[in-house]
Amino acid sequence: MTRIQNRAELIAGADGKEAQARRALALDLFDAALAAVDPLLCTRRVLRELCTQGKLSRPVTLFAFGKAARGMTEAALSEVPVTRGIVIGFETGRLGPLQLYCGSHPVPSDDAPEHGEAMLKLAHSLTADDLALVLISGGGSALLEVPRTGLTLSNLQAATRVLLASGASIQEVNAVRSALSAVKGGKLAHAMAPAQVINVVLSDVVGSPLASIASGPTAPAGLADGADLTTIVERYGLTARLPPAVQAALKSAMPMNDDFEHVTSVIAADNLTAQEALVHEARKRGHHALRRQAYVEGEARLLGPRLWREAQRQQAIYVAGGETTVTLGANVGCGGRNQELVLSAGAAFSRDARMGSTGSGLFAAMGTDGIDGASEAAGGLFDASLLARIKALGLEPSVFLTRHDAGTLLSLAGGAIRTGRTGTNVADLTLVWP
């Protein structure tokens, strides 16, 4: 089953059978990667192993938050004795013994503190005889939130918007979020003590540092003190843009110094899982495919051309993963980091096309969660057919890049990849086929 909703349109939009076959394969490879990080299947596999080890042989209280919360929760309900719990995702109501709360992303919803307080209350009710199963996935930073004493939700919402537009890495953004929160940076685990805690994590952060995934509610804080946080603020010129209360809170921030011996963590799937599945599927179909050893990080518009050049040297289906950043200015259009990455690579592709050195390449990128920034697309693709369509429409890619409006251009030219919410989240994937 394809997860790409506009697969037929994307294939039909290519000029000629060769170009159509190339697009079809690229989309199939993305589908294979998404299937490999299906939260229900990945979580079920981990839970079965934990049950075999005797670590989940008694009733559990479940805490789930993030973009993959629903799928991970369904796996838990099918594999372990869940007696009660709270799930914070994109649905409301009840699921068996569990209360579901609906939040928003990437900025916390107005009722986020109410949901977060309910989770903290449940955590505080645990005793030494209890076992907590915590299902964590990317997006949890926005979905699970309670402001630290002295801060308001509007302070956190404003700080989140500033941070996400700054070009800071997700690790840096979440380090700041942890310091402003009463639930992040190990504070949820602190509330659960002395109960035993098992974290099952679907990671959307490069390298899977537990302190960064969903801002680490059940993991030790990643930074030492307020001095490190102040350095981040100064590095991206945010001092004058953050609310005064936020600046004061960051200066006085101290990490949770608890003993985390009562916490066990297992990574169910991550970006590498998706990359390897993509490479495996390409090779299974008889293609030479290579995985970029370094994760993709940094400014999207600078990395697109670099990845295109790297792939040309490899002469293979070149697969990369990670998470780029976009530093937003005053002019902000529609799109996200993946579409900006694609369009910036398209500029290098166009230069090569003018010199007659390419005509059959393809560059595609997508967010595994299905939502790329401020758009309804997961990502996009660029090839000679798209270049011809852009020229026919009289559009200038550099103009759209300048105003961070790659999503609009790709949508107009027929290069946007649409999946809707995929229910998973392991950061981004890039496929380059020179």
Side-chain angles (χ1 to χ4, degrees):
M1 179 188 73
T2 182
R3 291 164 172 78
I4 298 172
Q5 298 170 349
N6 62 333
R7 182 180 190 277
E9 293 85 349
L10 285 168
I11 294 170
D15 300 325
K17 291 184 179 180
E18 182 182 345
Q20 289 180 354
R22 189 174 286 258
R23 285 193 182 188
L25 179 63
L27 299 177
D28 286 349
L29 297 182
F30 276 149
D31 262 328
L34 291 175
V37 293
D38 179 280
L40 189 152
L41 299 179
C42 294
T43 305
R44 179 180 290 163
R45 181 174 61 251
V46 167
L47 293 178
R48 287 179 177 176
E49 183 176 344
L50 290 170
C51 286
T52 300
Q53 296 168 359
K55 295 179 179 179
L56 286 172
S57 58
R58 54 194 172 104
V60 304
T61 300
L62 185 139
F63 301 77
F65 42 89
K67 293 181 180 179
R70 176 63 188 240
M72 298 181 81
T73 297
E74 289 177 352
L77 289 173
S78 71
E79 300 297 327
V80 298
V82 178
T83 59
R84 58 177 179 162
I86 292 175
V87 179
I88 306 179
F90 298 111
E91 300 177 58
T92 188
R94 294 198 67 83
L95 182 63
L98 306 173
Q99 177 66 52
L100 307 182
Y101 292 114
C102 181
S104 64
H105 184 272
V107 177
S109 60
D110 290 342
D111 52 3
E114 178 185 338
H115 304 161
E117 289 286 4
M119 190 165 276
L120 278 174
K121 181 179 179 181
L122 181 59
H124 281 295
S125 76
L126 300 177
T127 70
D129 296 326
D130 288 310
L131 175 60
L133 176 60
V134 187
L135 307 177
I136 305 170
S137 55
S141 294
L143 292 166
L144 175 61
E145 186 58 279
V146 177
R148 204 177 107 187
T149 301
L151 296 173
T152 65
L153 178 65
S154 61
N155 290 153
L156 269 61
Q157 290 171 327
T160 299
R161 292 187 180 97
V162 169
L163 286 163
L164 294 178
S166 69
S169 71
I170 191 63
Q171 292 92 330
E172 292 169 322
V173 169
N174 285 354
V176 174
R177 282 168 152 173
S178 294
L180 304 177
S181 175
V183 68
K184 297 178 172 64
K187 302 179 187 77
L188 181 60
H190 173 76
M192 291 174 174
Q196 289 297 305
V197 179
I198 296 179
N199 296 322
V200 177
V201 184
L202 198 73
S203 172
D204 68 328
V205 182
V206 168
S208 299
L210 294 174
S212 294
I213 304 164
S215 300
T218 51
L223 292 184
D225 54 37
D228 296 310
L229 300 171
T230 301
T231 298
I232 292 174
V233 170
E234 293 173 350
R235 179 180 301 144
Y236 296 97
L238 306 181
T239 304
R241 299 168 60 192
L242 290 171
V246 167
Q247 296 182 48
L250 291 177
K251 290 176 182 177
S252 63
M254 291 296 292
M256 181 72 61
N257 291 319
D258 280 29
D259 180 353
F260 282 80
E261 288 188 0
H262 67 299
V263 180
T264 300
S265 300
V266 182
I267 303 295
D270 58 12
N271 188 262
L272 183 57
T273 310
Q275 288 187 60
E276 289 179 338
L278 199 158
V279 170
H280 175 75
E281 183 67 18
R283 290 174 178 172
K284 189 172 75 173
R285 297 189 182 207
H287 295 276
H288 181 39
L290 296 173
R291 184 178 66 81
R292 188 180 196 257
Q293 293 305 302
Y295 284 103
V296 174
E297 297 179 279
E299 195 72 19
R301 65 173 56 209
L302 301 178
L303 283 163
R306 184 187 307 172
L307 289 172
W308 173 246
R309 299 296 181 210
E310 287 179 12
Q312 286 181 311
R313 291 193 294 271
Q314 299 292 343
Q315 283 302 302
I317 293 178
Y318 193 52
V319 177
E323 185 170 307
T324 61
T325 55
V326 174
T327 304
L328 298 176
N331 297 319
V332 180
C334 173
R337 57 184 181 264
N338 288 287
Q339 292 165 91
E340 187 149 321
L341 183 72
V342 167
L343 194 56
S344 67
F349 184 101
S350 300
R351 286 192 295 271
D352 289 350
R354 285 195 298 271
M355 294 186 295
S357 61
T358 186
S360 59
L362 181 145
F363 190 108
M366 67 172 290
T368 55
D369 62 351
I371 305 296
D372 187 32
S375 76
E376 296 181 356
L381 59 79
F382 199 103
D383 58 10
S385 299
L386 195 82
L387 177 59
R389 179 64 177 158
I390 290 172
K391 289 180 178 178
L393 292 170
L395 303 175
E396 176 49 57
S398 62
V399 173
F400 289 84
L401 273 175
T402 299
R403 63 188 187 214
H404 304 290
D405 200 19
T408 297
L409 177 60
L410 290 173
S411 184
L412 288 171
I417 297 174
R418 304 184 188 281
T419 62
R421 290 192 185 276
T422 62
T424 192
N425 187 18
V426 294
D428 305 333
L429 291 171
T430 301
L431 183 157
V432 192
W433 195 351

